[in-house]
Amino acid sequence: ILNGAGIIKFQIINYIFYAAISLPLKYALGVHYGAVAVTWVGAITYFVFLTIPTFYRGTSYLRKKEMEI
């Protein structure tokens, strides 16, 4: 989403945090609870580390650009 706005660094940092948190959690919970836990961990960490921050960053970027017009 933010690629078109030229804010790719923000997304790269968020993906690094996402991978650093989700991969160990997927492994640890996958061992104990199985494949269902891997799916849920992926969905929840994606939402927390990528969807929410991207939404807030995107809306603030759009508000900033709107003020410039």
Side-chain angles (χ1 to χ4, degrees):
I1 292 174
L2 300 177
N3 296 348
I7 311 174
I8 191 73
K9 182 179 177 183
F10 176 76
Q11 280 186 309
I12 291 171
I13 292 169
N14 284 345
Y15 273 106
I16 291 170
F17 282 123
Y18 166 72
I21 299 296
S22 71
L23 292 176
L25 277 176
K26 286 179 182 182
Y27 177 76
L29 294 177
V31 168
H32 293 292
Y33 298 107
V36 173
V38 174
T39 305
W40 277 106
V41 167
I44 291 169
T45 54
Y46 189 91
F47 183 74
V48 169
F49 288 100
L50 296 171
T51 304
I52 293 173
T54 300
F55 173 77
Y56 284 115
R57 181 68 181 250
T59 54
S60 68
Y61 176 80
L62 290 174
R63 274 192 230 115
K64 181 179 146 187
K65 287 296 181 182
E66 189 176 69
M67 297 293 253
E68 291 177 3
I69 295 177

